[in-house]
Amino acid sequence: VQLVESGGGLVQAGGSLRLSCAASGFSFDDYAIGWFRQAPGKEREGVACSSSVDGRIYYYTDSVKGRFSMSKDTDKMTATLQMNNLKSEDTAVYYCAADSICPPLSVVAKYQYDYLGQGTQVTVSS
């Protein structure tokens, strides 16, 4: 089983990045796919999650609503996170994760996902 993130990098505030998560080794259709991030010294923060039940996308934090957009392509077994109008506070390592459910906001910080990628660094300079 693998989840491999790509697309991170250094960008100026106001810029955009598109993160990709390539999955292999498990039934992608049957899993909820989520993105979360963790900045140095801070708790993990949920970003978005695509439900395995109805494909609905949940955005965990108000700060990304309207700026970030998640999509899931089951044929290609990939999930993407389009991030626009990036801000310095978006700087973090971004992880892709898979689980049977999209964990609720109350537990996402410490949730034990079934599968987890290695993360990709996003740095936004102000």
Short mmCIF file of all heavy atoms in Angstrom, two decimals, residues 65-124:
data_model
loop_
_atom_site.label_atom_id
_atom_site.label_comp_id
_atom_site.label_asym_id
_atom_site.label_seq_id
_atom_site.Cartn_x
_atom_site.Cartn_y
_atom_site.Cartn_z
N LYS A 65 -11.53 27.35 3.17
CA LYS A 65 -12.74 27.36 2.34
C LYS A 65 -12.70 28.53 1.37
O LYS A 65 -12.39 29.66 1.74
CB LYS A 65 -13.99 27.43 3.23
CG LYS A 65 -14.22 26.15 4.02
CD LYS A 65 -15.44 26.28 4.93
CE LYS A 65 -15.62 25.00 5.76
NZ LYS A 65 -16.75 25.10 6.72
N GLY A 66 -12.98 28.24 0.13
CA GLY A 66 -12.93 29.26 -0.90
C GLY A 66 -11.55 29.42 -1.53
O GLY A 66 -11.41 30.05 -2.58
N ARG A 67 -10.53 28.85 -0.89
CA ARG A 67 -9.17 28.95 -1.44
C ARG A 67 -8.65 27.58 -1.87
O ARG A 67 -7.93 27.47 -2.86
CB ARG A 67 -8.21 29.52 -0.40
CG ARG A 67 -8.54 30.92 0.05
CD ARG A 67 -7.42 31.51 0.90
NE ARG A 67 -7.18 30.75 2.13
CZ ARG A 67 -6.01 30.19 2.44
NH1 ARG A 67 -4.98 30.29 1.63
NH2 ARG A 67 -5.89 29.54 3.59
N PHE A 68 -9.01 26.55 -1.15
CA PHE A 68 -8.55 25.19 -1.45
C PHE A 68 -9.69 24.38 -2.05
O PHE A 68 -10.85 24.53 -1.65
CB PHE A 68 -8.07 24.48 -0.20
CG PHE A 68 -6.79 25.00 0.39
CD1 PHE A 68 -6.22 26.20 -0.01
CD2 PHE A 68 -6.13 24.26 1.37
CE1 PHE A 68 -5.04 26.66 0.54
CE2 PHE A 68 -4.95 24.70 1.94
CZ PHE A 68 -4.41 25.92 1.52
N SER A 69 -9.34 23.51 -2.96
CA SER A 69 -10.34 22.65 -3.59
C SER A 69 -9.76 21.25 -3.73
O SER A 69 -8.70 21.07 -4.34
CB SER A 69 -10.73 23.21 -4.95
OG SER A 69 -11.64 22.36 -5.60
N MET A 70 -10.49 20.27 -3.22
CA MET A 70 -10.04 18.90 -3.31
C MET A 70 -10.85 18.16 -4.36
O MET A 70 -12.04 18.40 -4.53
CB MET A 70 -10.21 18.19 -1.96
CG MET A 70 -9.81 16.73 -2.00
SD MET A 70 -10.05 15.89 -0.43
CE MET A 70 -9.57 14.21 -0.92
N SER A 71 -10.17 17.25 -5.05
CA SER A 71 -10.86 16.38 -5.99
C SER A 71 -10.27 14.98 -5.90
O SER A 71 -9.16 14.79 -5.38
CB SER A 71 -10.76 16.91 -7.42
OG SER A 71 -9.42 16.98 -7.84
N LYS A 72 -11.04 14.03 -6.36
CA LYS A 72 -10.62 12.63 -6.30
C LYS A 72 -10.94 11.97 -7.62
O LYS A 72 -12.07 12.07 -8.11
CB LYS A 72 -11.35 11.94 -5.15
CG LYS A 72 -11.00 10.48 -4.92
CD LYS A 72 -11.85 9.93 -3.76
CE LYS A 72 -11.67 8.45 -3.59
NZ LYS A 72 -12.57 7.88 -2.54
N ASP A 73 -9.96 11.33 -8.23
CA ASP A 73 -10.15 10.63 -9.50
C ASP A 73 -9.96 9.14 -9.25
O ASP A 73 -8.84 8.67 -9.09
CB ASP A 73 -9.13 11.14 -10.53
CG ASP A 73 -9.38 10.59 -11.93
OD1 ASP A 73 -9.85 9.42 -12.04
OD2 ASP A 73 -9.09 11.28 -12.90
N THR A 74 -11.07 8.42 -9.20
CA THR A 74 -10.97 7.00 -8.85
C THR A 74 -10.33 6.19 -9.96
O THR A 74 -9.67 5.19 -9.69
CB THR A 74 -12.36 6.44 -8.52
OG1 THR A 74 -13.25 6.69 -9.61
CG2 THR A 74 -12.92 7.09 -7.27
N ASP A 75 -10.50 6.60 -11.22
CA ASP A 75 -9.89 5.87 -12.33
C ASP A 75 -8.37 5.95 -12.26
O ASP A 75 -7.67 4.97 -12.52
CB ASP A 75 -10.37 6.41 -13.67
CG ASP A 75 -11.82 6.07 -13.94
OD1 ASP A 75 -12.32 5.10 -13.33
OD2 ASP A 75 -12.46 6.77 -14.74
N LYS A 76 -7.86 7.12 -11.91
CA LYS A 76 -6.41 7.31 -11.84
C LYS A 76 -5.86 7.04 -10.45
O LYS A 76 -4.65 7.09 -10.24
CB LYS A 76 -6.06 8.74 -12.26
CG LYS A 76 -6.37 9.05 -13.71
CD LYS A 76 -5.97 10.48 -14.06
CE LYS A 76 -6.28 10.78 -15.52
NZ LYS A 76 -5.93 12.18 -15.88
N MET A 77 -6.77 6.78 -9.52
CA MET A 77 -6.37 6.54 -8.13
C MET A 77 -5.52 7.68 -7.60
O MET A 77 -4.45 7.48 -7.00
CB MET A 77 -5.65 5.19 -7.97
CG MET A 77 -6.56 4.00 -8.23
SD MET A 77 -5.80 2.40 -7.92
CE MET A 77 -5.46 2.48 -6.18
N THR A 78 -5.99 8.87 -7.84
CA THR A 78 -5.29 10.05 -7.34
C THR A 78 -6.27 11.01 -6.68
O THR A 78 -7.45 11.06 -7.03
CB THR A 78 -4.56 10.79 -8.47
OG1 THR A 78 -5.51 11.20 -9.46
CG2 THR A 78 -3.48 9.94 -9.11
N ALA A 79 -5.75 11.76 -5.76
CA ALA A 79 -6.49 12.84 -5.14
C ALA A 79 -5.65 14.09 -5.27
O ALA A 79 -4.42 14.02 -5.20
CB ALA A 79 -6.79 12.55 -3.69
N THR A 80 -6.29 15.20 -5.51
CA THR A 80 -5.55 16.44 -5.65
C THR A 80 -6.08 17.49 -4.69
O THR A 80 -7.25 17.44 -4.28
CB THR A 80 -5.63 16.99 -7.09
OG1 THR A 80 -7.00 17.23 -7.41
CG2 THR A 80 -5.04 16.02 -8.08
N LEU A 81 -5.21 18.41 -4.35
CA LEU A 81 -5.59 19.54 -3.51
C LEU A 81 -5.08 20.79 -4.21
O LEU A 81 -3.87 21.05 -4.23
CB LEU A 81 -5.00 19.40 -2.12
CG LEU A 81 -5.41 20.49 -1.12
CD1 LEU A 81 -6.90 20.35 -0.79
CD2 LEU A 81 -4.58 20.40 0.15
N GLN A 82 -6.00 21.52 -4.81
CA GLN A 82 -5.64 22.78 -5.46
C GLN A 82 -5.69 23.88 -4.41
O GLN A 82 -6.72 24.09 -3.77
CB GLN A 82 -6.63 23.09 -6.59
CG GLN A 82 -6.38 24.41 -7.28
CD GLN A 82 -5.09 24.44 -8.05
OE1 GLN A 82 -4.75 23.47 -8.75
NE2 GLN A 82 -4.34 25.54 -7.95
N MET A 83 -4.58 24.57 -4.24
CA MET A 83 -4.47 25.59 -3.21
C MET A 83 -4.19 26.94 -3.88
O MET A 83 -3.15 27.11 -4.52
CB MET A 83 -3.35 25.24 -2.23
CG MET A 83 -3.49 23.85 -1.64
SD MET A 83 -2.29 23.50 -0.34
CE MET A 83 -0.77 23.56 -1.28
N ASN A 84 -5.11 27.84 -3.73
CA ASN A 84 -4.98 29.17 -4.33
C ASN A 84 -4.88 30.23 -3.24
O ASN A 84 -5.25 30.00 -2.09
CB ASN A 84 -6.20 29.46 -5.21
CG ASN A 84 -6.33 28.49 -6.36
OD1 ASN A 84 -5.33 28.03 -6.93
ND2 ASN A 84 -7.56 28.16 -6.73
N ASN A 85 -4.40 31.39 -3.64
CA ASN A 85 -4.27 32.53 -2.72
C ASN A 85 -3.61 32.08 -1.41
O ASN A 85 -4.13 32.32 -0.32
CB ASN A 85 -5.65 33.13 -2.44
CG ASN A 85 -5.56 34.44 -1.69
OD1 ASN A 85 -4.53 35.11 -1.70
ND2 ASN A 85 -6.65 34.81 -1.02
N LEU A 86 -2.48 31.44 -1.56
CA LEU A 86 -1.80 30.89 -0.39
C LEU A 86 -1.32 31.98 0.55
O LEU A 86 -0.94 33.08 0.12
CB LEU A 86 -0.63 30.02 -0.83
CG LEU A 86 -1.05 28.63 -1.34
CD1 LEU A 86 0.02 28.01 -2.20
CD2 LEU A 86 -1.40 27.73 -0.16
N LYS A 87 -1.35 31.66 1.84
CA LYS A 87 -0.94 32.59 2.87
C LYS A 87 0.19 31.96 3.69
O LYS A 87 0.36 30.74 3.69
CB LYS A 87 -2.13 32.90 3.78
CG LYS A 87 -3.34 33.44 3.04
CD LYS A 87 -4.52 33.64 3.98
CE LYS A 87 -5.74 34.16 3.23
NZ LYS A 87 -6.89 34.40 4.14
N SER A 88 0.92 32.80 4.39
CA SER A 88 2.06 32.29 5.17
C SER A 88 1.62 31.24 6.18
O SER A 88 2.34 30.29 6.47
CB SER A 88 2.79 33.43 5.85
OG SER A 88 1.90 34.17 6.68
N GLU A 89 0.40 31.39 6.69
CA GLU A 89 -0.09 30.43 7.69
C GLU A 89 -0.45 29.08 7.09
O GLU A 89 -0.78 28.15 7.82
CB GLU A 89 -1.30 31.01 8.44
CG GLU A 89 -2.41 31.52 7.56
CD GLU A 89 -2.33 33.03 7.36
OE1 GLU A 89 -1.19 33.55 7.17
OE2 GLU A 89 -3.39 33.68 7.40
N ASP A 90 -0.38 28.97 5.78
CA ASP A 90 -0.59 27.66 5.13
C ASP A 90 0.69 26.84 5.10
O ASP A 90 0.66 25.67 4.70
CB ASP A 90 -1.10 27.85 3.69
CG ASP A 90 -2.46 28.50 3.62
OD1 ASP A 90 -3.34 28.14 4.44
OD2 ASP A 90 -2.66 29.36 2.74
N THR A 91 1.79 27.43 5.50
CA THR A 91 3.05 26.72 5.52
C THR A 91 2.97 25.52 6.46
O THR A 91 2.64 25.66 7.64
CB THR A 91 4.19 27.65 5.97
OG1 THR A 91 4.36 28.68 4.98
CG2 THR A 91 5.49 26.88 6.12
N ALA A 92 3.28 24.35 5.94
CA ALA A 92 3.18 23.11 6.71
C ALA A 92 3.61 21.95 5.83
O ALA A 92 3.80 22.11 4.62
CB ALA A 92 1.75 22.88 7.19
N VAL A 93 3.74 20.80 6.45
CA VAL A 93 3.86 19.56 5.69
C VAL A 93 2.44 19.05 5.47
O VAL A 93 1.66 18.94 6.42
CB VAL A 93 4.70 18.51 6.43
CG1 VAL A 93 4.76 17.21 5.60
CG2 VAL A 93 6.11 19.04 6.68
N TYR A 94 2.13 18.76 4.22
CA TYR A 94 0.79 18.30 3.86
C TYR A 94 0.84 16.78 3.61
O TYR A 94 1.71 16.29 2.88
CB TYR A 94 0.30 19.02 2.61
CG TYR A 94 -0.15 20.43 2.90
CD1 TYR A 94 0.77 21.42 3.23
CD2 TYR A 94 -1.50 20.77 2.87
CE1 TYR A 94 0.37 22.72 3.53
CE2 TYR A 94 -1.92 22.06 3.16
CZ TYR A 94 -0.98 23.03 3.48
OH TYR A 94 -1.39 24.31 3.77
N TYR A 95 -0.12 16.11 4.22
CA TYR A 95 -0.17 14.67 4.13
C TYR A 95 -1.49 14.23 3.48
O TYR A 95 -2.54 14.83 3.69
CB TYR A 95 -0.11 14.04 5.52
CG TYR A 95 1.17 14.30 6.27
CD1 TYR A 95 1.33 15.43 7.06
CD2 TYR A 95 2.23 13.39 6.20
CE1 TYR A 95 2.50 15.66 7.75
CE2 TYR A 95 3.40 13.61 6.90
CZ TYR A 95 3.53 14.74 7.68
OH TYR A 95 4.70 14.95 8.37
N CYS A 96 -1.39 13.15 2.77
CA CYS A 96 -2.54 12.47 2.21
C CYS A 96 -2.78 11.22 3.06
O CYS A 96 -1.82 10.56 3.49
CB CYS A 96 -2.23 12.09 0.76
SG CYS A 96 -3.44 11.06 -0.04
N ALA A 97 -4.04 10.91 3.31
CA ALA A 97 -4.35 9.76 4.16
C ALA A 97 -5.59 9.05 3.64
O ALA A 97 -6.44 9.67 2.99
CB ALA A 97 -4.57 10.21 5.60
N ALA A 98 -5.67 7.77 3.94
CA ALA A 98 -6.84 6.99 3.55
C ALA A 98 -7.39 6.25 4.76
O ALA A 98 -6.63 5.76 5.60
CB ALA A 98 -6.46 5.99 2.46
N ASP A 99 -8.70 6.18 4.82
CA ASP A 99 -9.36 5.48 5.92
C ASP A 99 -10.77 5.11 5.48
O ASP A 99 -11.24 5.56 4.44
CB ASP A 99 -9.40 6.38 7.16
CG ASP A 99 -9.62 5.58 8.43
OD1 ASP A 99 -8.62 5.14 9.04
OD2 ASP A 99 -10.79 5.38 8.80
N SER A 100 -11.43 4.34 6.27
CA SER A 100 -12.79 3.95 5.93
C SER A 100 -13.76 5.11 6.05
O SER A 100 -14.82 5.12 5.43
CB SER A 100 -13.25 2.79 6.82
OG SER A 100 -13.17 3.17 8.18
N ILE A 101 -13.41 6.09 6.86
CA ILE A 101 -14.28 7.25 7.06
C ILE A 101 -13.49 8.55 6.99
O ILE A 101 -12.27 8.55 7.08
CB ILE A 101 -15.00 7.19 8.43
CG1 ILE A 101 -13.95 7.25 9.56
CG2 ILE A 101 -15.86 5.95 8.55
CD1 ILE A 101 -14.55 7.53 10.93
N CYS A 102 -14.21 9.64 6.81
CA CYS A 102 -13.63 10.95 7.05
C CYS A 102 -13.80 11.23 8.55
O CYS A 102 -14.94 11.39 9.01
CB CYS A 102 -14.36 12.04 6.25
SG CYS A 102 -14.00 12.00 4.48
N PRO A 103 -12.72 11.29 9.29
CA PRO A 103 -12.86 11.47 10.73
C PRO A 103 -13.47 12.83 11.05
O PRO A 103 -13.21 13.80 10.35
CB PRO A 103 -11.42 11.37 11.25
CG PRO A 103 -10.57 11.70 10.08
CD PRO A 103 -11.30 11.20 8.89
N PRO A 104 -14.26 12.89 12.10
CA PRO A 104 -14.84 14.18 12.47
C PRO A 104 -13.78 15.15 12.95
O PRO A 104 -12.70 14.75 13.38
CB PRO A 104 -15.82 13.82 13.60
CG PRO A 104 -15.33 12.51 14.12
CD PRO A 104 -14.71 11.80 12.97
N LEU A 105 -14.11 16.42 12.85
CA LEU A 105 -13.16 17.47 13.21
C LEU A 105 -12.63 17.29 14.63
O LEU A 105 -11.46 17.55 14.90
CB LEU A 105 -13.83 18.84 13.06
CG LEU A 105 -13.02 20.06 13.44
CD1 LEU A 105 -11.79 20.18 12.55
CD2 LEU A 105 -13.87 21.32 13.34
N SER A 106 -13.47 16.81 15.51
CA SER A 106 -13.09 16.70 16.92
C SER A 106 -11.95 15.72 17.16
O SER A 106 -11.29 15.78 18.20
CB SER A 106 -14.31 16.29 17.75
OG SER A 106 -14.83 15.06 17.28
N VAL A 107 -11.71 14.81 16.23
CA VAL A 107 -10.66 13.80 16.45
C VAL A 107 -9.57 13.81 15.40
O VAL A 107 -8.60 13.05 15.51
CB VAL A 107 -11.27 12.38 16.54
CG1 VAL A 107 -12.31 12.31 17.66
CG2 VAL A 107 -11.86 11.95 15.22
N VAL A 108 -9.71 14.63 14.37
CA VAL A 108 -8.79 14.52 13.25
C VAL A 108 -7.35 14.77 13.66
O VAL A 108 -6.43 14.22 13.07
CB VAL A 108 -9.22 15.46 12.11
CG1 VAL A 108 -9.03 16.92 12.49
CG2 VAL A 108 -8.49 15.16 10.83
N ALA A 109 -7.14 15.58 14.69
CA ALA A 109 -5.77 15.92 15.09
C ALA A 109 -4.98 14.70 15.55
O ALA A 109 -3.76 14.63 15.38
CB ALA A 109 -5.79 16.97 16.19
N LYS A 110 -5.67 13.73 16.11
CA LYS A 110 -4.97 12.57 16.66
C LYS A 110 -5.44 11.26 16.04
O LYS A 110 -5.13 10.18 16.53
CB LYS A 110 -5.15 12.52 18.18
CG LYS A 110 -4.57 13.72 18.89
CD LYS A 110 -4.64 13.56 20.39
CE LYS A 110 -4.22 14.82 21.11
NZ LYS A 110 -2.87 15.26 20.71
N TYR A 111 -6.17 11.36 14.98
CA TYR A 111 -6.77 10.18 14.37
C TYR A 111 -5.72 9.27 13.76
O TYR A 111 -4.77 9.74 13.12
CB TYR A 111 -7.77 10.61 13.30
CG TYR A 111 -8.65 9.50 12.80
CD1 TYR A 111 -9.71 9.03 13.57
CD2 TYR A 111 -8.42 8.92 11.55
CE1 TYR A 111 -10.53 8.01 13.11
CE2 TYR A 111 -9.23 7.90 11.09
CZ TYR A 111 -10.28 7.45 11.87
OH TYR A 111 -11.09 6.43 11.42
N GLN A 112 -5.89 7.98 13.93
CA GLN A 112 -4.98 6.99 13.36
C GLN A 112 -5.56 6.49 12.04
O GLN A 112 -6.44 5.62 12.01
CB GLN A 112 -4.80 5.82 14.33
CG GLN A 112 -4.14 6.21 15.65
CD GLN A 112 -2.73 6.68 15.46
OE1 GLN A 112 -1.94 6.08 14.73
NE2 GLN A 112 -2.38 7.78 16.13
N TYR A 113 -5.06 7.06 10.96
CA TYR A 113 -5.54 6.67 9.64
C TYR A 113 -5.02 5.28 9.27
O TYR A 113 -3.95 4.86 9.70
CB TYR A 113 -5.07 7.66 8.58
CG TYR A 113 -5.70 9.03 8.69
CD1 TYR A 113 -5.12 10.03 9.47
CD2 TYR A 113 -6.88 9.33 8.00
CE1 TYR A 113 -5.69 11.28 9.56
CE2 TYR A 113 -7.46 10.59 8.10
CZ TYR A 113 -6.86 11.56 8.87
OH TYR A 113 -7.43 12.79 8.96
N ASP A 114 -5.78 4.59 8.43
CA ASP A 114 -5.33 3.28 7.96
C ASP A 114 -4.03 3.41 7.17
O ASP A 114 -3.11 2.61 7.34
CB ASP A 114 -6.40 2.64 7.08
CG ASP A 114 -7.59 2.15 7.88
OD1 ASP A 114 -7.49 2.05 9.11
OD2 ASP A 114 -8.65 1.86 7.27
N TYR A 115 -3.98 4.40 6.27
CA TYR A 115 -2.80 4.58 5.43
C TYR A 115 -2.44 6.06 5.40
O TYR A 115 -3.32 6.93 5.41
CB TYR A 115 -3.07 4.08 3.99
CG TYR A 115 -3.58 2.66 3.91
CD1 TYR A 115 -4.78 2.37 3.29
CD2 TYR A 115 -2.85 1.61 4.47
CE1 TYR A 115 -5.25 1.07 3.21
CE2 TYR A 115 -3.32 0.32 4.40
CZ TYR A 115 -4.52 0.05 3.77
OH TYR A 115 -4.99 -1.24 3.71
N LEU A 116 -1.16 6.30 5.31
CA LEU A 116 -0.67 7.67 5.39
C LEU A 116 0.51 7.84 4.44
O LEU A 116 1.37 6.96 4.33
CB LEU A 116 -0.20 7.92 6.83
CG LEU A 116 0.13 9.32 7.27
CD1 LEU A 116 -1.10 10.19 7.18
CD2 LEU A 116 0.64 9.29 8.71
N GLY A 117 0.55 8.97 3.74
CA GLY A 117 1.69 9.27 2.89
C GLY A 117 2.84 9.85 3.68
O GLY A 117 2.74 10.07 4.89
N GLN A 118 3.93 10.13 2.97
CA GLN A 118 5.13 10.62 3.65
C GLN A 118 5.12 12.14 3.82
O GLN A 118 5.93 12.68 4.56
CB GLN A 118 6.38 10.20 2.86
CG GLN A 118 6.76 11.10 1.69
CD GLN A 118 5.82 10.99 0.50
OE1 GLN A 118 4.97 10.11 0.43
NE2 GLN A 118 5.97 11.89 -0.47
N GLY A 119 4.21 12.79 3.13
CA GLY A 119 4.08 14.24 3.27
C GLY A 119 4.87 15.01 2.22
O GLY A 119 5.86 14.52 1.67
N THR A 120 4.42 16.21 1.96
CA THR A 120 5.12 17.11 1.06
C THR A 120 5.12 18.51 1.67
O THR A 120 4.10 18.97 2.19
CB THR A 120 4.47 17.11 -0.35
OG1 THR A 120 5.26 17.90 -1.24
CG2 THR A 120 3.05 17.64 -0.35
N GLN A 121 6.27 19.16 1.63
CA GLN A 121 6.42 20.46 2.30
C GLN A 121 5.85 21.58 1.42
O GLN A 121 6.16 21.66 0.22
CB GLN A 121 7.90 20.74 2.57
CG GLN A 121 8.18 22.11 3.17
CD GLN A 121 7.70 22.23 4.60
OE1 GLN A 121 7.94 21.35 5.43
NE2 GLN A 121 7.01 23.33 4.92
N VAL A 122 5.06 22.40 2.04
CA VAL A 122 4.56 23.63 1.40
C VAL A 122 5.05 24.80 2.23
O VAL A 122 4.79 24.87 3.43
CB VAL A 122 3.02 23.62 1.32
CG1 VAL A 122 2.51 24.99 0.87
CG2 VAL A 122 2.54 22.53 0.39
N THR A 123 5.77 25.69 1.57
CA THR A 123 6.28 26.87 2.25
C THR A 123 5.81 28.11 1.51
O THR A 123 6.05 28.24 0.30
CB THR A 123 7.82 26.86 2.31
OG1 THR A 123 8.25 25.67 2.95
CG2 THR A 123 8.33 28.07 3.07
N VAL A 124 5.13 28.97 2.22
CA VAL A 124 4.61 30.20 1.64
C VAL A 124 5.35 31.37 2.23
O VAL A 124 5.34 31.59 3.44
CB VAL A 124 3.10 30.34 1.89
CG1 VAL A 124 2.55 31.58 1.18
CG2 VAL A 124 2.35 29.09 1.44
#
